[in-house]
Amino acid sequence: MEQRGKGSIEEGGFLLFLALVTLALLVIVLPFFQPLLWAALAAIMFQPLLRWFLARLPGRDTLATLLTLGVIFVAVILPTFWIGSAVVDEAAGLVVAFQEGQIDVSMWFDQVFAALPANIQASLEASGWGNLGALQQRAQEFAQASLGLIAQQALAIGGSVFGFVLALAIGLYVTFFLLRDGRAIGESVLNALPFERGIADRLAARFLGIVRATIKGSVVVGLVQGALGAITFSIVGIPSVLLLGVIMAIASLLPAVGPAIVWVPAAIYLLATGAIWQGIVVIVSGVALIGMIDNVLRPILVGRDTGIPDWLILVTTLGGIALFGLSGIVIGPLVAGLFLAGWGILSEQRAQAAAA
């Protein structure tokens, strides 16, 4: 009896030590959470490419991993740098234009309101919306605040160049090892989890499925929609096309509305100000290209549904972005998917226990 009590104390002490040292490790690596997260995501997404290189370079795992890392750098990181710097330049230019009075949102509202039919103008005036002064002022303040936030984030990134370069170097370094040793690391993690192996395997499969579905079905589709939107705006002569394209790519994460939250107001403004063919081009592109690309690409890239309701994807994506920045695009749906999977497994176990 005494030996059993002593064994329980020792086991409890070891578990307490394990919990404390795990918590300490999480606190230590927390400053580099985002590069580590994106390194893990890159290792997951580019495993097929690594296997392709390994099939052609048998026994040369390090070289195959380095080639895969080179493709990631050239195909993902360099274009991201270029697009990001261009978007920051456009956002900063718009902030300056607002501050110097070169852009007047109130004038845009006046133009749109004046172009409306007389009966609609009368209805708006009768309902109290004819005097748009206060609304115009709020809209202009909102636009300035939004662009100012973008500029502040850009300055924050530029003001910590050393931290950014360090995070990038750590991300690439960790990506190399996760690519090369990812399968062995994953197997060790599954064996160490305090679950039945069947449950651990199901959660791991759910984890990988959601990551791939989120990256392929959300990020890639969003980038394509944003690129099509930028090309459309460039054709009709709307300025700051890269900035608007990035906003459309982010808006594509929102179910139901998506990129329409950007191109619909643009088309209304063009039509109301007399740019008829430009407005028609934006509408046709928005409906026939930008709006349909999600229905065409997502089934091809993802291949199956994540099983997460659209409303939960919306809430968790927005909540994830609010807490973790751009990383929340993946973290939010991932947590939602694991939550549903975990409770689904528990429900199945309880049903089996009841049947037995």
Side-chain angles (χ1 to χ4, degrees), residues 7-308:
S8 300
I9 294 174
E10 290 176 348
E11 182 179 355
F14 176 71
L15 291 177
L16 178 61
F17 163 78
L18 191 61
L20 291 176
V21 75
T22 302
L23 179 62
L25 178 64
L26 292 176
V27 172
I28 290 173
V29 303
L30 188 61
F32 300 100
F33 169 75
Q34 295 207 22
L36 292 177
L37 172 66
W38 288 105
L41 297 179
I44 292 172
M45 296 305 301
F46 285 90
Q47 275 294 323
L49 179 62
L50 174 63
R51 290 196 293 268
W52 186 85
F53 279 123
L54 287 173
R56 286 151 182 79
L57 298 169
R60 307 181 69 179
D61 295 2
T62 300
L63 178 58
T65 305
L66 287 173
L67 290 174
T68 306
L69 201 61
V71 172
I72 294 173
F73 186 80
V74 173
V76 178
I77 296 177
L78 288 183
T80 301
F81 283 165
W82 178 78
I83 295 175
S85 62
V87 168
V88 168
D89 289 341
E90 289 187 357
L94 285 176
V95 170
V96 172
F98 272 110
Q99 292 174 345
E100 295 180 352
Q102 299 175 14
I103 298 178
D104 188 359
V105 179
S106 301
M107 181 185 65
W108 294 353
F109 274 104
D110 289 336
Q111 289 178 344
V112 172
F113 187 76
L116 293 175
N119 58 339
I120 296 180
Q121 291 185 21
S123 299
L124 291 174
E125 290 176 354
S127 60
W129 291 94
N131 182 9
L132 299 177
L135 179 60
Q136 293 168 359
Q137 183 64 29
R138 291 193 187 96
Q140 187 157 343
E141 291 174 355
F142 173 76
Q144 291 179 355
S146 301
L147 294 172
L149 180 61
I150 295 174
Q152 289 174 7
Q153 294 297 323
L155 291 175
I157 294 174
S160 181
V161 176
F162 175 75
F164 176 76
V165 173
L166 179 61
L168 176 62
I170 290 175
L172 291 174
Y173 185 72
V174 173
T175 302
F176 171 83
F177 288 101
L178 291 180
L179 278 170
R180 192 186 66 179
D181 308 324
R183 289 184 174 275
I185 294 173
E187 190 66 23
S188 299
V189 170
L190 291 178
N191 288 329
L193 288 176
F195 308 140
E196 296 179 9
R197 184 53 192 260
I199 294 177
D201 289 338
R202 290 180 62 180
L203 290 177
R206 185 66 167 160
F207 173 83
L208 295 176
I210 294 172
V211 168
R212 294 191 177 107
T214 303
I215 299 295
K216 291 181 180 179
S218 297
V219 176
V220 174
V221 172
L223 290 175
V224 173
Q225 290 181 316
L228 291 174
I231 293 172
T232 301
F233 291 149
S234 178
I235 292 174
V236 300
I238 294 179
S240 303
V241 293
L242 284 177
L243 177 61
L244 292 175
V246 170
I247 295 174
M248 289 182 68
I250 297 174
S252 68
L253 299 171
L254 304 177
V257 289
I261 200 172
V262 178
W263 66 259
V264 169
I268 293 174
Y269 170 75
L270 290 172
L271 293 173
T273 54
I276 303 301
W277 74 265
Q278 292 94 332
I280 293 175
V281 168
V282 171
I283 293 174
V284 171
S285 176
V287 174
L289 291 178
I290 301 172
M292 294 299 296
I293 201 69
D294 182 80
N295 298 327
V296 174
L297 275 185
R298 195 179 297 273
I300 297 175
L301 294 174
V302 179
R304 60 184 178 87
D305 190 10
T306 61
I308 308 175

Side-chain angles (χ1 to χ4, degrees), residues 309-339:
D310 284 347
W311 65 268
L312 188 56
I313 292 178
L314 173 62
V315 172
T316 54
T317 298
L318 294 178
I321 293 174
L323 289 175
F324 303 103
L326 288 179
S327 301
I329 294 173
V330 177
I331 296 176
L334 178 60
V335 172
L338 292 178
F339 171 84

